[in-house]
Amino acid sequence: MFQPFLRYLETELFSRFELRSRPIAPELEFQVSQRGKNPAMIESWCYECPELRKIRYTYINAGETAQIFNSVIYPSHKYDLPLLGIDFLSFGKKKILVVLDFQPLFRDTEYLEKYIEPMAPIRNKYKELAQDLEMKFYDANQYFSKYLLFAKTDADTVVNRLLPAYQEYIQLYWQLLERAEPKTEPEAIARVVQAQKDYDIYSANRDPASGLFSSYFGPEWSEEFLYGFLFEDAVPLAAATGKK
């Protein structure tokens, strides 16, 4: 269901940036599970370039049971841009959840006006994808903007509305990146480094996908994937406390 979204992102990335592969442990890059009723395949990609320090995306294909496309793009530490976050999940054609956002690192007014307000015209075009849903695992006031797309939807809407909205959000993100002025002061760069690290810690502690990964690929693989690939700057709680 979400392969066109993955292909669009790849085409954009390879046509715009000089990408270099970031290494992924082989067991995390590709895995097949025979657990449950249907086999599931998970595959991940990761790149970097001077403007973007980490570009990661993952696709889970479990046939009609589940189709999941997840991606986070981390700008270079010299840019204070929001992160580009994508999370599209389909569990059968009738249970589809989509999340798309520029995830702000800071909440001051100047920052939000610069990076978040430009999203408003696009979001207003796709109001059916901006539903007032409750966030069960996250605080909506942390690392989410007021113009995120967040909806329970259907397969037709994915094709006819989500795909063009997604393309417009990505094009806007490139525009913001092109206009962004690189930080040069060590204090400003350090602030971005810490903000991105805090994002990883926060996300790793709350990500509901870890349960899904565990069901398909086992808890040990799930934890390694969470901390060894998705959120590398986070430290597992057991390691942080010295527990095993």
Side-chain angles (χ1 to χ4, degrees):
M1 179 173 288
F2 303 117
Q3 283 290 330
F5 296 82
L6 185 154
R7 290 195 296 269
Y8 180 81
L9 180 62
E10 279 194 328
T11 300
E12 283 291 307
L13 289 168
F14 278 91
S15 65
R16 289 176 176 273
F17 304 103
E18 296 181 6
L19 299 182
R20 298 182 301 272
S21 293
R22 285 176 108 246
I24 310 173
E27 68 274 13
L28 301 181
E29 186 174 15
F30 181 80
Q31 194 68 239
V32 176
S33 169
Q34 298 296 335
R35 296 181 178 211
K37 295 180 180 179
N38 295 310
M41 179 190 76
I42 185 169
E43 188 169 6
S44 295
W45 299 261
C46 198
Y47 301 98
E48 63 184 2
C49 62
E51 302 88 348
L52 305 167
R53 74 172 187 88
K54 182 180 180 182
I55 303 158
R56 66 160 176 84
Y57 49 100
T58 295
Y59 202 93
I60 297 178
N61 183 351
E64 293 185 1
T65 304
Q67 297 278 314
I68 298 168
F69 175 49
N70 172 267
S71 176
V72 177
I73 293 180
Y74 297 74
S76 163
H77 289 138
K78 64 185 177 183
Y79 298 116
D80 63 355
L81 278 163
L83 310 183
L84 175 59
I86 302 161
D87 208 15
F88 301 154
L89 307 94
S90 171
F91 300 100
K93 292 186 177 181
K94 294 185 178 179
K95 189 177 181 182
I96 300 172
L97 180 68
V98 299
V99 186
L100 173 61
D101 200 13
F102 297 176
Q103 301 191 254
L105 296 176
F106 309 107
R107 312 292 308 191
D108 56 276
T109 301
E110 182 181 355
Y111 182 91
L112 298 177
E113 287 180 355
K114 183 177 182 180
Y115 292 128
I116 302 304
E117 287 301 323
M119 300 162 64
I122 303 175
R123 199 253 201 180
N124 290 337
K125 284 175 59 178
Y126 300 96
K127 290 185 177 179
E128 71 271 40
L129 296 171
Q131 300 167 6
D132 187 22
L133 303 178
E134 179 187 0
M135 286 195 176
K136 296 180 180 179
F137 300 97
Y138 299 99
D139 179 350
N141 296 313
Q142 277 193 276
Y143 305 115
F144 288 99
S145 81
K146 64 180 180 179
Y147 298 126
L148 86 160
L149 298 185
F150 184 29
K152 292 179 180 178
T153 188
D154 55 64
D156 287 341
T157 302
V158 167
V159 174
N160 297 317
R161 299 294 286 167
L162 180 62
L163 184 56
Y166 167 81
Q167 292 170 341
E168 289 188 45
Y169 269 76
I170 287 179
Q171 292 301 321
L172 175 60
Y173 193 78
W174 302 152
Q175 292 170 23
L176 294 177
L177 178 60
E178 287 174 1
R179 295 199 295 260
E181 296 181 3
K183 304 292 182 184
T184 56
E185 308 85 358
E187 295 84 1
I189 293 172
R191 183 171 179 248
V192 174
V193 170
Q194 187 61 52
Q196 289 194 10
K197 182 175 182 178
D198 289 344
Y199 168 85
D200 267 18
I201 294 170
Y202 176 87
S203 299
N205 288 337
R206 293 177 178 241
D207 194 332
S210 60
L212 179 71
F213 297 145
S214 292
S215 69
Y216 281 127
F217 307 105
E220 290 186 6
W221 187 93
S222 175
E223 176 151 320
E224 186 180 355
F225 188 68
L226 197 68
Y227 292 99
F229 175 64
L230 293 184
F231 306 112
E232 295 167 307
D233 285 340
V235 179
L237 183 60
T241 59
K243 296 179 180 178
K244 294 184 179 180

